[in-house]
Amino acid sequence: MTAMALDWSSWLHLLGYYLALSLMAVGGAISTAPDMHRILVAEHGWISDPQFGASIALAQAAPGPNVLFIALLGWNVGLNAAAQAGSSAAATWAWALMGAAVCMLGIMLPSTTLTLLATRWAHRNRQRRSVRAFRQGMAPIVVGLVCATAWVLGRAHGVAATDWPLWLLSVVCGLLVWRTRLHLLWLLAAGALLGAVGWV
């Protein structure tokens, strides 16, 4: 797919998209990755499939909050916009930083404000039946969103029918996360090792 150029209305659209998406990130920002893929890669072509996958993988492997992958996505959007405009090296850095800032501002501002207000209210009313029912009802939604994220990332790797080691590894990791208290960094290290030897 040919990448689409970004004008100022596109940047405003990107900011508005992340402002809206922020309120949907009930299972964490990673649970909204499939929709980000739809907008950034499939619909607008602002970044490529490899850039999308690499942004998430790099942010997950790095220390710090996993929401940093959104900054990397914005960074790549800015880099591509600068490349399309034929910008200088300094301007390329500025575009990339603006992309990261726009995406992070959009994803953080509504959810942070709402979370602050909602958690204070829920803590004061934690014994209410409606509050307990809401928390239990959100669990399957979060699981579904995380599974959708795994599907999008795994599908971008190649042909799903021939990538059975990748899907097997994904299922095993999912079971280990569910049934054990094994630290996620061990799973990331195992995945990196298997990738390095060419198994996945």
Side-chain angles (χ1 to χ4, degrees), residues 28-194:
I30 194 67
S31 66
T32 59
D35 197 66
M36 292 182 210
H37 183 274
R38 180 180 66 83
I39 294 294
L40 300 178
V41 179
E43 189 170 312
H44 292 288
W46 286 332
I47 61 174
S48 66
D49 231 355
Q51 284 179 316
F52 187 87
S55 297
I56 293 181
L58 182 60
Q60 296 300 307
N66 67 2
V67 75
L68 291 178
F69 81 91
I70 295 176
L72 286 175
L73 291 174
W75 177 272
N76 282 315
V77 170
L79 284 180
N80 292 346
Q84 292 163 16
S87 303
S88 64
T92 298
W93 275 92
W95 280 108
L97 287 172
M98 188 178 81
V102 165
C103 292
M104 286 302 288
L105 177 67
I107 200 69
M108 294 298 293
L109 186 61
S111 60
T112 302
T113 305
L114 182 63
T115 300
L116 179 63
L117 298 175
T119 52
R120 286 186 174 183
W121 183 87
H123 184 71
R124 287 196 303 270
N125 299 278
R126 58 186 178 278
Q127 298 304 326
R128 285 190 179 188
R129 186 175 182 180
S130 59
V131 173
R132 287 184 284 136
F134 176 79
R135 296 175 69 175
Q136 292 179 358
M138 291 304 293
I141 295 174
V142 172
V143 171
L145 289 171
V146 171
C147 288
T149 301
W151 170 254
V152 168
L153 293 177
R155 191 182 56 181
H157 180 70
V159 180
T162 59
D163 289 335
W164 63 266
L166 173 67
W167 297 109
L168 176 62
L169 179 63
S170 300
V171 170
V172 170
C173 287
L175 291 174
L176 288 173
V177 170
W178 177 34
R179 303 300 294 179
T180 72
R181 293 183 176 274
L182 188 64
H183 199 284
L184 295 180
L185 287 178
W186 288 111
L187 298 177
L188 285 170
L193 179 61
L194 292 173

